Structures are given as structure tokens and as C-alpha cells.
Amino acid sequence: MSHDVHEVRSFEHPGEGRKRAKATPKGRQVDPTAAHEIEQLLGDRPRRRDLLIEYLHLIQDKYHQISAAHLAALADEMKLAFAEVFETATFYAHFDIVKEGEPDIAPLTIRVCDSLTCEMLGGGQLLQDLQRSAGPGIRVVRAPCVGLCDAAPVAEVGHHFVHQATAAEVLATAARGDVHAHIPAYVDYDAYVQDGGYKLLERLRSGAVSKDDILRLLEDSSLRGLGGAGFPTGRKWRAVLGEPGPRLMAVNGDEGEPGTFKDRVYLNNDPHRFIEGTLIGAHIVEASDVYIYIRDEYPAAREILEREIAKLPPGGPTLHMRRGAGAYICGEESSLLESIEGKRGLPRHKPPYPFQVGLFGLPTLINNVETLWWVRDIVEKGADWWKGHGRHERHGLRSFSVSGRVKNPGMKLAPSGITVRELIDEYCGGMADGHTFYAYLPGGASGGILPASMDDIPLDFGTLEKYGCFIGSAAIVILSQKDSVRAAALNLMKFFEDESCGQCTPCRVGTQKAALLMQKPVWNRALLEELSQAMRDASICGLGQAASNPLTTVIKYFPDEFKEAAE
């Protein structure tokens, strides 16, 4: 429908005759060229509301930016209000919006990670060097954690990541035009099937293995959600199955917690083990459709999944790939659902919970990538096999993402309950040369910071809470005597300030105020602790509730740093 001219009639008032107002254009005009480009870009794809973010990605990928003209044309094509499209596009960091009258964005963007591990290992200097030396046609910007903490510092040239990056190497990569994701060697469909893959799924679908058999094994193994929340997997599946159908399933692959990269390792190496676990979960809860949401910083994983899903034989649920767009908040389960529906990733109020009212208003099973990756092994090898691992009276295996001042960082599959000292010495080759263990993050950015003197705490669910910390997704960042925990806490608070969705005041204002107070030479402890408590008590979701954990643990466990500051 054309929006060029609308005929407007005035209201009739008593005693007045009908008047005809002058015809004038109303609303934002759609540029014919932009309209044609959007129509060509979308082709025969359905114009559904939930695909809005996917179509914004199409525009961004083709034009390296999203102009106001393209936004207006997309809104018109999808029969949506321009404001609705604009507020969604501007919510996500990876959409580069060019407003009317602004110059075009450079055709190539280099993003430099400024998360804690990259900052510790020279990311700040790398950013400055690139901003100073990058030539015309290149834009250099900071970026939050890109999930390559074991290769810090990291820069992303287009969608190609440069590990242990130097400015010279990054600019040489840009000059070569090497801007596409590198696809590593991985276990493909044929190799996976040859090794017994999908046999369990076939037995489940044929009835040789019952739903209850699998649910009982998952419950007996005590497998918990490995995205960070730790909710028992078997109990969650039963809860969703207990809700009236139809039901859906969503996979949380938005691994945005700074320090975390385990899901990337599993998806990039053995994707079908995850896919089979996903299909088993969907079969058990009778989900007709599965939405797999993968963060935009994992282009290789996304391409691998798209390739391998296309190889699956017909039958079973429909698998939909959804691409994140640079919003940490979308790792929160209800924000994830909002994003899959094509909206801003704003957390929902609970109750109702997603297993009751989830995606598109239907009961929805939500699981993390790694949780689903383990389903096949646990069912085939038995609950006792899983529980047979563990240390210090804990049970199971954990995938620890270890980064920072260790000799051999990386994803370490180790027994649940291992201590950080054991993890460093046995799995990481000890501390890096010239560094002495000083402090550690036991659970990523929001899990708090502990001193090296507390190196004997078993790392598992339920063991760290009494110290004001938690294990979350098991991201372990190691600091040495050359690092400042105050600087580390400030880095994390600035991250939360940037990533707050802004919906609730305690988080939006609290993270901003905390970051300002933490930049002062001497911290106002009483005010910071009062602010932290307000954020904890009144924030809608886990971001605001946990954002102050690094701050409060630094105040509690590192008094010497404050004595020096006070002097």
C-alpha cells in the first residue's frame, strides 16, 4: 500500500459543515529504491514478525549498515510501524543504524574485545593502536566478550577472528580481505552416524526406549542446566510435558557471559551430539518446532549447524536457526524468547514461567547447548557413569572455560568439585611464566571474585554461594599479582552498564552509578553496598541481581587494596 498521500477529513462539529483538509503526506515516506532493494533482498521469504531480526541481519550483511531508508522500507514490507522496527534494530549492538543526514559507516568494521581477559592481556592497547593506524574505509570499535578468552587479546575483522592479536596482524588480515569465519575441522553427519550417532534417537522414536526411561536416567544422573542456572534437567522436561500442548522448544546458545566459551568448543567440534540431544528433548516434550538461538559472535558454529541440520533425514520437529545480534541480556531465558519472536530482548515478569507460557505464548522447553550435548552420553552410559566423576564429594563433569594468567588456557573437562588450585596445576600447566596466583573469578563476570587464599573451595553448584559467589557457567578467570581486582571489578561493572536492557531502574541506573563510584580513587563502601543491595532486591532479572557480585566480593576479600587507595 502506498504511504505517499493520505486524505484527511476534519471532525464535524455542531453548526459546521463538512470540511476537507488539504491533502498532505503523513508518516515516514518510503524511498522507492530502498523499497525495491528490500523486496529483492527478502525474496519469497515470509513476512512474519518473528523474522524481523533475521531480516535486519540480511540488510546489515549486504550493506554493512542499516540506513533509515532501508528501515522504513522494511517496516512497510512487513506491515509494521516504523517505530517498532527502529526500536528493535537499535536495541542490538551489531546493527549499525545510520540515521538521516549521517554519513555512511566504513565498509569494514574491526571489533576489539575489551572483556576482562582481553583487557588483562593487552586489548586496550590493541584498540588504541588500531584506532591510530587504521586507514580509510575501516572503522575500529570496542566490543564486549566475543567468546575467545582462551586466545586473548582478540580482534574481529568482519566475521574473521584474529587470535593473540597484534595491530600489524589485524591490519594485514583486513588488507587481505580475510573477513569470513574460519570453519574448523569437526565431526560431520557421516562420521557421527558411523560412530553410533542417532541410534538412541531412533530407539526412542521406535518405542524401544521409553520417554520415562530417559527422564528417569536424567533425574538419577542429577544433570543440571549448564548454562548457569543449574535447574535439574529431568525435572524441567517433566514440567514442560505436564503442560497442555502444543509445546515448543528453544535452545539457548547465547553464551555471552564474559569468560565463557565452552558451548563454542562443543558446537565447533561435535555438533551432532548437541543436535541429537536437542531432538531427544523435543521428542520427549512433543515439541513440533525447535528454535536454536546462537550468538552472533559464533559465526562458525552457526554455519556448521546450518550445514549439518540440512543433512538430517526427514521427520521429527522443524529446526529453526535464529541469530543473536550482540545483546548479553538475551542469555536470560525470557529475553531469549522475546528475541526469537523478533522483538527487543526485554526480560519478562515471572510468573508465568516459560515452561507454562513461553515462546509465542506456548509451553516451552528451554535448554543450554552443553546440557543437551551430554544427553546421549548419560543415557547410553548410564547415570552411574556420570555420577562416578567428581571430587570432594561432588558428582559429575564440568566444562570449565579457563582464561587469564595460566600457561595453557582453554576449555577443560574436569570433575565437578575440583578446586581452582587443582584446575590450574593439573589442567592448565600451572601459572604463566612470571605470574603468581592472586585472585580468580569462579563463575564468569557475575560470579564474584575470590582471593588465591581461598583456593580450596570445590567448584560446583551450591558450594560458592555462602561466599557471595556462584559457579554459573563455570567460566574461570585467573588473575596474578600483576593485576588489580579493583580494575577487574570496574571492567565488569562497565560491561553490565553497557549490557543492561534499561527496562528496570535498579539495574539501568544502579550499574551506571556503581561504575561512576568505582572510578573514584577511594570507594565509598557504604554507598556502594547500599546500591548493590537495591540492585539485588529490585532488579527484574539476573543481570541486575548479580551485577554487583564482583564489587561486593572485592570489598569483602581484598581489604589491602583499599588501604593502599585510602593512603
Side-chain angles (χ1 to χ4, degrees):
M1 181 177 74
S2 173
H3 289 256
D4 290 345
V5 177
H6 292 270
E7 184 177 273
V8 180
R9 296 182 183 273
S10 66
F11 289 109
E12 287 189 60
H13 298 282
E16 292 183 349
R18 185 183 296 265
K19 296 180 180 178
R20 183 182 295 272
K22 182 180 178 182
T24 56
K26 297 293 181 182
R28 184 175 296 273
Q29 304 307 293
V30 178
D31 177 75
T33 301
H36 177 72
E37 289 170 344
I38 293 299
E39 185 180 357
Q40 293 293 111
L41 194 60
L42 268 55
D44 60 358
R45 295 178 176 89
R47 270 54 168 174
R48 296 200 319 267
R49 175 68 174 83
D50 64 288
L51 293 171
L52 174 59
I53 294 172
E54 296 298 303
Y55 296 161
L56 290 169
H57 275 301
L58 288 178
I59 300 170
Q60 176 78 38
D61 288 346
K62 182 171 179 59
Y63 297 101
H64 311 293
Q65 63 181 32
I66 303 177
S67 68
H70 280 144
L71 278 181
L74 180 63
D76 185 65
E77 186 71 19
M78 297 188 71
K79 304 295 189 288
L80 296 171
F82 177 84
E84 195 172 2
V85 175
F86 182 81
E87 71 174 10
T88 300
T90 53
F91 181 85
Y92 295 92
H94 288 185
F95 296 139
D96 297 318
I97 311 301
V98 180
K99 299 175 184 177
E100 289 181 357
E102 292 183 346
D104 286 348
I105 292 171
L108 178 63
T109 294
I110 296 174
R111 288 185 165 88
V112 180
C113 179
D114 70 351
S115 71
L116 178 57
T117 304
C118 281
E119 188 70 22
M120 289 164 52
L121 297 176
Q125 187 61 52
L126 174 63
L127 177 63
Q128 292 179 27
D129 292 345
L130 286 170
Q131 288 175 332
R132 184 173 58 251
S133 55
I138 297 177
R139 178 180 65 143
V140 180
V141 297
R142 53 165 292 279
C145 186
V146 297
L148 281 163
C149 314
D150 51 336
V154 174
E156 184 183 10
V157 181
H159 287 297
H160 178 87
F161 292 95
V162 181
H163 300 181
Q164 286 94 36
T166 63
E169 185 180 3
V170 172
L171 293 176
T173 301
R176 291 195 304 270
D178 193 359
V179 297
H180 300 292
H182 169 70
I183 307 301
Y186 63 89
V187 180
D188 65 6
Y189 177 79
D190 291 336
Y192 184 73
V193 170
Q194 189 174 359
D195 192 38
Y198 293 111
K199 294 295 185 187
L200 175 59
L201 178 63
E202 291 172 8
R203 293 174 64 211
L204 174 64
R205 288 176 172 173
S206 69
V209 174
S210 72
K211 292 181 181 181
D212 202 59
D213 289 337
I214 290 181
L215 288 169
R216 192 166 52 250
L217 274 166
L218 292 177
E219 290 167 339
D220 290 347
S221 71
S222 300
L223 177 67
R224 301 175 68 168
L226 298 173
F231 194 85
T233 303
R235 196 197 310 173
K236 177 184 281 191
W237 289 19
R238 281 195 192 275
V240 175
L241 187 58
E243 293 293 314
R247 306 177 196 91
L248 299 173
M249 182 175 179
V251 176
N252 189 345
D254 192 58
E255 189 179 44
E257 182 80 7
T260 312
F261 48 87
K262 60 185 178 59
D263 290 356
R264 168 182 60 82
V265 173
Y266 286 121
L267 291 174
N268 283 6
N269 288 279
D270 197 357
H272 283 281
R273 198 170 298 266
F274 153 70
I275 295 171
E276 184 170 11
T278 299
L279 294 173
I280 289 169
H283 182 88
I284 286 178
V285 302
E286 301 169 7
S288 59
D289 293 83
V290 179
Y291 292 80
I292 302 173
Y293 189 96
I294 302 295
R295 66 184 309 215
D296 200 29
E297 292 85 349
Y298 289 174
R302 197 172 61 251
E303 185 171 333
I304 288 169
L305 285 175
E306 288 173 350
R307 285 183 189 176
E308 298 306 309
I309 287 172
K311 298 177 183 178
L312 296 175
T318 303
L319 303 181
H320 307 268
M321 289 292 296
R322 287 291 185 269
R323 179 177 171 185
Y328 167 72
I329 190 64
C330 291
E332 193 275 335
E333 61 177 8
S334 65
S335 302
L336 171 85
L337 300 180
E338 291 287 298
S339 191
I340 291 173
E341 292 179 1
K343 304 178 218 171
R344 295 177 294 165
L346 300 180
R348 299 175 181 176
H349 291 279
K350 304 171 189 175
Y353 295 95
F355 81 89
Q356 301 165 314
V357 181
L359 195 56
F360 307 117
L362 298 177
T364 304
L365 173 63
I366 306 175
N367 277 128
N368 166 260
V369 167
E370 190 200 353
T371 306
L372 296 166
W373 197 92
W374 284 113
V375 168
R376 176 190 164 192
D377 277 346
I378 289 174
V379 175
E380 289 184 344
K381 298 177 182 179
D384 289 341
W385 165 79
W386 178 260
K387 293 166 71 174
H389 299 280
R391 291 189 188 178
H392 307 295
E393 301 181 353
R394 313 303 296 182
H395 302 288
L397 291 165
R398 286 307 301 262
S399 305
F400 295 96
S401 304
V402 186
S403 65
R405 306 296 192 177
V406 292
K407 194 166 289 183
N408 301 312
M411 196 279 280
K412 312 295 180 180
L413 183 60
S416 293
I418 194 172
T419 67
V420 69
R421 177 64 71 179
E422 292 168 337
L423 192 61
I424 293 170
D425 292 344
E426 298 176 34
Y427 288 82
C428 302
M431 294 292 293
D433 293 340
H435 292 271
T436 302
F437 183 29
Y438 176 60
Y440 67 106
L441 281 66
S446 55
I449 305 177
L450 292 173
S453 59
M454 298 173 67
D455 63 355
D456 58 350
I457 303 170
L459 298 175
D460 197 13
F461 294 116
T463 60
L464 292 153
E465 283 75 0
K466 64 183 177 181
Y467 305 107
C469 301
F470 56 78
I471 192 169
S473 56
I476 314 295
V477 183
I478 306 298
L479 283 67
S480 78
Q481 84 284 5
K482 297 184 179 181
D483 301 306
S484 162
V485 293
R486 278 173 49 113
L490 177 58
N491 176 283
L492 301 173
M493 188 59 74
K494 286 182 175 179
F495 168 81
F496 291 125
E497 179 189 1
D498 285 345
E499 296 296 330
S500 173
C501 75
Q503 181 178 194
C504 70
T505 303
C507 177
R508 181 184 68 251
V509 178
T511 52
Q512 180 186 48
K513 182 66 172 176
L516 287 171
L517 291 170
M518 292 166 72
Q519 292 178 65
K520 295 183 179 296
V522 180
W523 287 1
N524 185 331
R525 300 189 196 186
L527 184 56
L528 282 168
E529 287 173 342
E530 182 182 357
L531 181 61
S532 299
Q533 193 62 50
M535 292 166 60
R536 222 176 262 122
D537 291 342
S539 295
I540 290 174
C541 80
L543 192 156
Q545 294 163 11
S548 65
N549 285 341
L551 162 64
T552 54
T553 50
V554 165
I555 289 174
K556 183 175 182 180
Y557 296 116
F558 296 89
D560 289 347
E561 292 214 10
F562 297 100
K563 288 179 183 176
E564 293 171 6
E567 291 169 359

